[in-house]
Every structure is written in C-alpha cells, then in structure tokens.
Amino acid sequence: MIVQGAGERRARGHYLAAAGVFAVGMAGTTLPTPLYGLYRERIGFSELMVTVVFAVYALGVIAALLVAGDFSDVLGRRPVLLAALALSVLSAVCFLCESGLPLLFLGRLLSGFSAGLFSGAATAAVLELAPPDPRGRAGFAATAANMGGLGCGPLLSGVLAQYAPWPLRLPFLVHIALLVAALAVTRALPETVARRTPRPPLRPQGMVVPQEARGAFVPAGLAAFAGFSLLGLFTAVAPSFVSQTLGVHNLAVTGTVVFTVFCSSTAGQFLMGRVGVRRALPAGCLVLTAGMALVAASLLMESLPVLVVGAVVGGLGQGLAFRAALTGVSAVAPDEHRGATISAFFVVAYVGISLPVVGVGALTMALGLRGAGLVFAGCVVLLSTGVGVFLLRRPPRTD
C-alpha cells in the first residue's frame, strides 16, 4: 500500500535524486561493453562467448525480476534500491579482480541481479516520489534514467579505456565511487511504501500481471521485446562489428556508437509526451523498423556513418515505444502491485535483449559476423513491423 497524501510532503527534488540513483546503477550494467575486445585478447574466447557473457547478465536480470519483482512492494523501495547498489559494487569488484572467465561471468551475473532489482523498484520510486503536478515529467525521468544510464556506461568506459591508464580497472573504480555517492543519496530518500503489520511473506511471484493491467500489458510487452532486441544488438555485437569489420579500434568511438542508440532512445522518450501513448506505441515500432533497415544497410556497405544513422533512428523508435509502453502499464497497475507489474514488463523486455543476441553469436560461427547481423536485422524488422501494424489496428488501452 502506498502512503496516502504523502505527495504534498515530498520535496520536488526527491524523484530527480531517485532518477540519478537509477542512472548510476544502470550505467554499471553496460560498462564492460567497449572492453570485450580487450578481454578477448587477454583471456581468449570467441564471438559466441561474448554473447554468452552478455546473456548471463540478461538471465540474472530475469531471475531477479521473477524472484524478487514484488519485494519492493512489501519491503519498500529504499531497501531494495540499497541491495541493488550493493550488488553493483560487488559486480565492479569482480571485474577489478578478474583473472579469467569465471569472475567475468560472476560479475555479469551480479550486475544482472542488480539491474533486475533496479528495474521495478527504481521506476516505481521515481513515479511515487514525484508530486502530483509533474507526474508526466516523472515518467520521463524514470525511463530516461534507465536508458541514459545504460548509454553512459559504454561512453564512460570507452573514453577512460582509450585515453586514461588502467583500461580494465579505472572504469570500475570510477563507477564504485559513483555507487558510494548513490548509496548516500538513497539512504536520504523518503520511503513511499507503508509498513504492513504483519509483514506479508517474501515469496517468488513469477510473472505478476493483475487482471486490470493485462489489456495494456500485452501490446506493451510486444513493443518492449522488439525495442530491446535492438539494444541487445548494439551492446553485445556492435562493438565487434565496429572493430573487426570496419577496422575502427578506438574504444572511445565504440563507446560513442553504443551511447548514440541510448541517447536517441532518451530523445524518443521525450517526444512521446507530445505524441501520446496510443500513437507512440505503433509509431515507435515502425520507426524502429526503419532504424533496423539502416543497420542492415550499414552491414552490407560496411559504413560507420550509416550504422550511426541507424542507431539514431532505431533509438528514437525504441524510445518512443518504450516510454509509451511503460507509461501505459504503470498507469493501469494497482498501487499494491505496481512494482511487480513493472518487473513483469521488464522480464519480457530482457527476454528480447538476450535470446536474439545469443542467436546472433551462434550464427556468427556459421555465417560470420556480418551474415549473422543481417539475419538478426531481418528478424527484428519483421517483428517490429508486425507489432506496429498490430498496434495500429488495435490501439492499447491506457486507462
């Protein structure tokens, strides 16, 4: 149960502080993205293993969402956020102590657990800490913090690895410092969930979607699956394509390419406020289709500029669809199940970010990196087009 009447007593900066904590936490999940090439040289593993390492992270996210997706509805948002930040610190420590694949896998798994806790609890906290008037801005702050944090991770590590000493150490040391600051901010945030006596038991809830939210959840989940497939391509495979196919070995450039798709996603989320949920969902999917077509063209032409344009267009589409989907789901979810419903939404999204990417890694062994990328792009084009047409014919219910 959410504390009634608390909106008037909350400082207007609380939801922005919570969004900042969200962004710092999510940045750690993509921090290793530009560094995979260095790990490949140091440890020695295939492109398939890169996607498997990425999938371990996604499995950690999904496991946390399924097991603990509603814990913040029972324990409160703040304790779950503190646990997520602590897991992120442990993940960074694993990378600092890395000496082979085992710690790399463990670090990514812990990072996935952290992201899974953040996805539901932080989104709900940002929305609930906002005063009534700027709730629309709070929705944008929540989704922008998610995508913005994911984008800043590779940009930060790429620049530090390219131009500063200790390329496999300094990015994680800097992130630990940011996490310590985020821990202090989180402890100062007010709690938005009332204590219940006796406290309900903590039990894995799996996919919890209340009956009243299902009409909005299904189309929102389809749109999220398609959009997160694009993000998976850029965070797991695009760095290898930039270095191996295009011959660009500057890690800052690699981080900037990945940052571009997330930055464009944030811009798309901003535009959603002007377009509206019902139109943004199908429009976002169709713009995503155009972006993936450009990504496929960049693979055929071996062109970095076309890849960047594809990232910009695809990111805009993903952002439009993502914010519209999350806004629609959050609006119809009952207060006592909001965290669990948002977590279920992110389960669908992270299935989209993980399974297709592993498929690309497997196809790389037979078709090469470019061939696998083309097959992947074609599949996402078909999926996003189908979802967009479906949503045009059957607009989602948002209230």
Side-chain angles (χ1 to χ4, degrees):
M1 171 188 285
I2 307 304
V3 179
Q4 298 297 317
E8 293 76 12
R9 300 192 298 273
R10 295 172 189 140
R12 287 184 174 269
H14 284 157
Y15 81 92
L16 294 176
V21 170
F22 195 4
V24 168
M26 296 308 293
T29 67
T30 52
L31 205 64
T33 296
L35 309 179
Y36 285 136
L38 298 179
Y39 286 121
R40 288 183 65 180
E41 294 176 4
R42 177 170 171 170
I43 302 173
F45 50 81
S46 66
E47 186 64 37
L48 175 60
M49 189 57 65
V50 173
T51 60
V52 171
V53 169
F54 182 81
V56 166
Y57 155 75
L59 289 175
V61 177
I62 293 169
L65 289 169
L66 290 175
V67 172
D70 69 331
F71 282 13
S72 73
D73 292 328
V74 177
L75 298 174
R77 312 301 182 206
R78 190 168 55 188
V80 175
L81 291 178
L82 291 171
L85 289 167
L87 288 169
S88 192
V89 171
L90 290 175
S91 172
V93 170
C94 287
F95 279 96
L96 286 174
C97 302
E98 176 274 322
S99 58
L101 276 174
L103 278 180
L104 207 61
F105 278 122
L106 179 59
R108 293 303 285 158
L109 186 64
L110 291 172
S111 183
F113 290 156
S114 173
L117 294 179
F118 267 120
S119 296
T123 300
V126 172
L127 295 174
E128 293 162 0
L129 283 169
D133 290 344
R135 276 296 173 93
R137 282 178 285 170
F140 172 68
T143 55
N146 193 338
M147 292 297 114
L150 289 169
C152 287
L155 182 64
L156 173 65
S157 60
V159 170
L160 291 177
Q162 185 66 38
Y163 300 114
W166 315 315
L168 294 178
R169 298 286 184 268
L170 188 60
F172 299 100
L173 290 171
V174 171
H175 190 239
I176 287 175
L178 293 172
L179 289 169
V180 171
L183 281 164
V185 171
T186 302
R187 288 181 62 86
L189 289 175
E191 181 55 71
T192 60
V193 177
R195 292 182 178 272
R196 284 181 276 182
T197 305
R199 191 191 75 187
L202 295 176
R203 294 177 182 150
Q205 296 295 308
M207 291 279 288
V208 175
V209 183
Q211 180 68 38
E212 56 266 46
R214 291 176 187 172
F217 187 91
V218 173
L222 290 171
F225 184 97
F228 270 62
S229 296
L230 171 75
L231 301 184
L233 177 70
F234 273 88
T235 50
V237 180
S240 297
F241 174 72
V242 170
S243 61
Q244 296 177 31
T245 304
L246 302 182
V248 178
H249 301 288
N250 186 302
L251 297 179
V253 172
T254 300
T256 301
V257 170
V258 180
F259 170 76
T260 299
V261 72
F262 289 103
C263 184
S264 296
S265 173
T266 304
Q269 292 166 35
F270 177 77
L271 291 174
M272 197 286 296
R274 299 172 180 267
V275 176
V277 172
R278 289 172 65 88
R279 288 184 293 175
L281 264 173
C285 289
L286 297 177
V287 174
L288 174 64
T289 296
M292 283 306 305
L294 286 167
V295 170
S298 75
L299 296 173
L300 288 170
M301 300 166 60
E302 298 186 3
S303 169
L304 180 60
V306 176
L307 178 65
V308 172
V309 174
V312 171
V313 175
L316 282 171
Q318 190 276 337
L320 272 171
F322 175 69
R323 185 184 172 194
L326 184 57
T327 299
V329 168
S330 300
V332 298
D335 286 346
E336 63 272 19
H337 295 299
R338 181 171 289 118
T341 306
I342 293 172
S343 294
F345 170 79
F346 277 105
V347 167
V348 177
Y350 275 95
V351 170
I353 209 175
S354 56
L355 290 182
V357 168
V358 175
V360 171
L363 283 174
T364 298
M365 308 300 290
L367 303 178
L369 189 58
R370 185 168 68 166
L374 287 170
V375 171
F376 177 88
C379 291
V380 176
V381 164
L382 291 174
L383 174 62
S384 57
T385 302
V387 173
V389 171
F390 172 81
L391 290 169
L392 283 173
R393 298 183 64 181
R394 298 185 181 181
R397 180 176 65 88
T398 59
D399 50 30

